[in-house]
Amino acid sequence: MVNKKAKNALITGSSRGIGLKTAQILKENGYNIFLTGRDIKKLEVESKKLKSPYFACDLSSLDGTKKLFESYFETYKTIDILINNAGLYEYQNIENASNIENMLNVNVKAPFELTKYFIPFMKKQKWGRIINIGSISGVMGEAFASVYSGTKSALIGFTKAVALECASYNITINVINPGWVETNMGVNSIDKSDFPIDIIPQKRFIEAYEVAKLITFLISDDAKGITGQSINLCAGFSCGI
Ligand SMILES: NC(=O)c1ccc[n+]([C@@H]2O[C@H](COP(=O)([O-])OP(=O)(O)OC[C@H]3O[C@@H](n4cnc5c(N)ncnc54)[C@H](OP(=O)(O)O)[C@@H]3O)[C@@H](O)[C@H]2O)c1
């Protein structure tokens, strides 16, 4: 069901985790949403629940990114909000890193390409919001996740540069850097019973809804002055010890 007066949002990686929670909260707040991920069965279920379109594709190839753009555009014809959330993590020392190309494609190239595709439409309508989901690992560096940390750092420089280029078009772009979040990625990447929770000042993981709520604020008109920012949502982890 498309509300023609509402703003349209594409959320990558919205089959589960932070992306799905964001899709649910945006839908509750009256946005038209477009779901995407690789897991077609999960997308079918969530799309029915949220009465919203979806497209299954693999963002590790440029072809997947282009097809997503085309499918989204066929449905909504215009874009107001792009949330580059899909991401991959690998816990491995650098000498054994086995997934470099894939991680660069999904975590870096896909957000760059999607931004490139959608910016002309946002410029034309003189309004747009882009949120990149980085990671606290891209701000601080995470041992045994150097490739992941590098890909997430790349989003920070990209965000600042695009913000400068697009500032006069009423387009804002920001990057949110979560700490550990209670999702498949956050929980599967560690042994929870062994995890030194005391290293996090608030002694807890972030919940997906907290990221979604920050996104909701940043895409609102009230946040029009916030652009090019790298915002840590990490329960105090980045402050130091
Ligand atoms: N969880 C954390 O602790 C944490 C911390 C900091 C930053 N982040 C960042 O937050 C974002 C969301 O993570 P999450 O915790 O929600 O992870 P998640 O539960 O693992 O979800 C990842 C999402 O990305 C999609 N995705 C992964 N590879 C893809 C590919 N090749 N093509 C298309 N879609 C793909 C997945 O879709 P399918 O499953 O359908 O393929 C899924 O919807 C990521 O960018 C992550 O790096 C997470």
Side-chain angles (χ1 to χ4, degrees), residues 13-19 37-39 57-60 85-88 106 133-136 148 152 178-181 183-186:
S14 42
S15 56
R16 57 190 159 95
I18 293 169
R38 287 166 304 181
D39 185 340
C57 69
D58 188 341
L59 291 178
S60 64
N85 164 75
L88 278 181
V106 179
I133 302 298
S135 168
I136 209 65
Y148 180 75
K152 294 302 188 177
W180 283 273
V181 186
T183 62
N184 277 12
M185 182 187 288

Side-chain angles (χ1 to χ4, degrees), residues 65-97:
T65 310
K66 188 150 185 283
K67 286 200 171 120
L68 171 60
F69 166 71
E70 287 165 356
S71 166
Y72 168 87
F73 216 76
E74 229 168 77
T75 311
Y76 283 140
K77 317 285 184 230
T78 181
I79 179 91
D80 301 298
I81 298 151
L82 168 64
I83 300 170
N84 285 311
N85 164 75
L88 278 181
Y89 177 88
E90 184 183 45
Y91 190 77
Q92 186 60 271
N93 55 19
I94 184 61
E95 55 274 37
N96 290 310

Side-chain angles (χ1 to χ4, degrees), residues 2-235:
V2 174
N3 173 356
K4 290 208 166 134
K5 288 187 182 150
K7 290 202 155 60
N8 302 325
L10 168 62
I11 306 149
T12 70
S14 42
S15 56
R16 57 190 159 95
I18 293 169
L20 178 58
K21 185 52 81 181
T22 302
Q24 290 164 343
I25 289 180
L26 293 196
K27 185 72 184 180
E28 278 166 27
N29 282 277
Y31 292 91
N32 295 319
I33 54 165
F34 191 94
L35 303 168
T36 182
R38 287 166 304 181
D39 185 340
I40 193 159
K41 287 202 176 127
K42 190 78 182 16
L43 286 167
E44 254 168 33
V45 171
E46 300 303 337
S47 134
K48 269 196 195 130
K49 283 195 210 156
L50 292 169
K51 298 188 176 53
S52 300
Y54 73 91
F55 181 71
C57 69
D58 188 341
L59 291 178
S60 64
S61 76
L62 285 183
D63 188 49
T65 310
K66 188 150 185 283
K67 286 200 171 120
L68 171 60
F69 166 71
E70 287 165 356
S71 166
Y72 168 87
F73 216 76
E74 229 168 77
T75 311
Y76 283 140
K77 317 285 184 230
T78 181
I79 179 91
D80 301 298
I81 298 151
L82 168 64
I83 300 170
N84 285 311
N85 164 75
L88 278 181
Y89 177 88
E90 184 183 45
Y91 190 77
Q92 186 60 271
N93 55 19
I94 184 61
E95 55 274 37
N96 290 310
S98 61
N99 211 9
I100 296 179
E101 196 175 345
N102 214 17
M103 288 178 74
L104 282 169
N105 286 344
V106 179
N107 295 3
V108 181
K109 273 195 191 170
F112 285 15
E113 289 288 337
L114 288 171
T115 303
K116 172 181 149 178
Y117 291 145
F118 284 121
I119 280 286
F121 300 93
M122 292 179 174
K123 276 189 169 174
K124 206 166 162 207
Q125 69 193 12
K126 290 209 160 44
W127 199 96
R129 294 284 185 269
I130 302 173
I131 305 289
N132 294 318
I133 302 298
S135 168
I136 209 65
S137 310
V139 178
M140 300 177 68
E142 181 185 346
F144 306 106
S146 51
V147 179
Y148 180 75
S149 301
T151 63
K152 294 302 188 177
S153 294
L155 292 178
I156 297 175
F158 180 70
T159 298
K160 290 183 183 188
V162 176
L164 291 170
E165 271 181 45
C166 297
S168 61
Y169 291 89
N170 211 8
I171 298 169
T172 70
I173 171 167
N174 293 289
V175 54
I176 297 175
N177 308 304
W180 283 273
V181 186
E182 286 273 5
T183 62
N184 277 12
M185 182 187 288
V187 175
N188 292 349
S189 61
I190 54 159
D191 176 354
K192 226 181 161 191
S193 61
D194 226 21
F195 184 80
I197 196 82
D198 284 349
I199 64 171
I200 305 174
Q202 291 185 349
K203 305 196 188 331
R204 68 178 187 95
F205 281 25
I206 298 294
E207 292 180 59
Y209 87 87
E210 297 176 73
V211 184
K213 288 282 188 177
L214 178 56
I215 292 173
T216 310
F217 175 65
L218 290 172
I219 63 173
S220 72
D221 271 323
D222 289 337
K224 60 179 182 255
I226 304 175
T227 193
Q229 301 305 308
S230 167
I231 301 166
N232 302 336
L233 178 45
C234 59

